[in-house]
Amino acid sequence: MPRRILSALVATLAIALCVGLTVGLAVGPAPAQVDLSASVSFGDSLTHNELIGFPFRIALYGDDPAQAAFKKGRRSGDDLRNYAIAGSTSAWVPTQFALYAGRIANNTQRLASFISYEIGGNDVLNNFGVLSRAAPGFDANADRVIDTLLTNVVNQLYTLYVFHPTAKFLVWTVPDVTYTPKEWASRNTTAGANVRAHIARVNTVIRSLNAIPQVIVLDTETIIQTLAVTPPVIGTRALVGAPAYGQYDHLFADDIHPNAVANAILANVIIDEMNRKWGAGIPKYTTAELAALARLP
């Protein structure tokens, strides 16, 4: 399919998603307290980190950000089901949708009231070499990777909306993998700049969804860049940023995944957005709780 036609399709789908979600909000309830009673997550290992931490390092990885935010905001009877599968690319998400739909059909899953959608990091990592060769518009193979990712993301979000017109959505941007330990060496190279430019194509569309009342966007691209270079201070100790990894007081559990304290920091960003946009009133992770996750005195 010619790139100009595919780009037009993505733009049309994005507009349809924005219009559809806005209309859905107009006809549905808009409670001040966000409804977490039937929460679900779709994604990859950023929201399925139990697998990579099992069995000896689960505490190092901790709760993923969506799970950590849910734990702070849940009420009695609220439920979170995670359909994310470690290693997933955007092409695999329909398998997660099918599992979710199957459980709804056999009455073991309620229709979601809150949906976390996170994908794209593996699409970039699996094609890092191709994406690093040229900036957008100069390599058809690299552009095709991003065109496919964009089409998958917008199609999948629209599919979720069609079945959940009154649900709240948390949508994650694609993380900047050049600011992780795995690709740290490429950060200040032309290759790294090319990859970031391709990631930006996807994230421009994802960030635009933040204008929709039912959607909050977790900008992992910007947050990870900031944390990796300027690690936060907890109490009197600064966490250790990239390219280091593997300890409780680092930001990365391994060369690509955040650890428990970094996940809680990301959860606080989610909570901030839920409180700001939806008046949720959810408490954040305190300095003492973050220090405990980082195993700091």
Side-chain angles (χ1 to χ4, degrees):
M1 181 182 294
R3 184 165 178 257
R4 65 181 182 278
I5 297 175
L6 186 54
S7 297
L9 172 62
V10 170
T12 300
L13 288 169
I15 293 170
L17 177 63
C18 292
V19 172
L21 282 170
T22 304
V23 170
L25 181 69
V27 300
Q33 179 69 38
V34 61
D35 182 5
L36 299 178
S37 61
S39 299
V40 298
S41 290
F42 301 102
D44 53 36
S45 55
L46 287 181
T47 44
H48 185 205
N49 60 3
E50 297 90 348
L51 180 65
I52 51 179
F54 183 83
F56 303 114
R57 298 194 298 164
I58 289 178
L60 177 62
Y61 286 83
D63 295 326
D64 70 72
Q67 182 180 23
F70 170 81
K71 285 187 173 181
K72 280 293 186 179
R74 67 183 172 187
R75 295 177 173 181
S76 178
D78 287 354
D79 181 53
L80 170 64
R81 303 288 181 90
N82 194 348
Y83 293 91
I85 300 173
S88 290
T89 66
S90 61
W92 298 7
V93 173
T95 300
Q96 301 174 29
F97 287 0
L99 179 59
Y100 165 70
R103 289 182 176 172
I104 289 177
N106 65 23
N107 296 316
T108 59
Q109 165 72 60
R110 289 177 288 169
L111 194 67
S113 62
F114 182 83
I115 299 169
S116 171
Y117 175 90
E118 170 272 313
I119 205 69
N122 289 321
D123 295 68
V124 173
L125 286 171
N126 293 351
N127 296 280
F128 193 92
V130 174
L131 296 173
S132 68
R133 288 200 302 247
F138 291 93
D139 185 293
N141 290 327
D143 290 342
R144 191 175 300 113
V145 170
I146 299 304
D147 289 342
T148 300
L149 173 56
L150 263 172
T151 301
N152 288 344
V153 165
V154 179
N155 268 315
Q156 289 160 14
L157 285 171
Y158 187 67
T159 297
L160 287 171
Y161 159 70
V162 167
F163 292 99
H164 310 83
T166 60
K168 296 287 196 295
F169 288 79
L170 165 65
V171 184
W172 304 41
T173 61
V174 178
D176 181 354
V177 299
T178 70
Y179 275 74
T180 64
K182 182 177 180 66
E183 300 295 347
W184 188 257
S186 71
R187 185 170 55 95
N188 294 320
T189 66
T190 299
N194 290 338
V195 172
R196 286 193 295 275
H198 287 292
I199 292 172
R201 284 190 58 210
V202 184
N203 288 343
T204 296
V205 173
I206 292 174
R207 288 193 191 97
S208 71
L209 302 178
N210 211 17
I212 303 167
Q214 274 174 264
V215 177
I216 58 172
V217 173
L218 178 63
D219 192 353
T220 55
E221 177 187 11
T222 302
I223 296 168
I224 288 176
Q225 288 174 348
T226 302
L227 292 177
V229 175
T230 312
V233 175
I234 298 177
T236 59
R237 287 267 304 275
L239 298 177
V240 181
Y245 63 86
Q247 301 299 323
Y248 285 95
D249 63 343
H250 292 170
L251 286 165
F252 289 92
D254 55 37
D255 63 354
I256 196 70
H257 300 98
N259 66 2
V261 66
N263 282 329
I265 291 169
L266 289 167
N268 276 348
V269 177
I270 296 171
I271 293 168
D272 274 337
E273 285 299 294
M274 294 169 79
N275 292 343
R276 177 191 65 81
K277 196 162 188 176
W278 300 328
I282 299 172
K284 293 166 60 175
Y285 285 86
T286 64
T287 298
E289 288 173 317
L290 294 175
L293 290 170
R295 305 287 175 96
L296 296 177

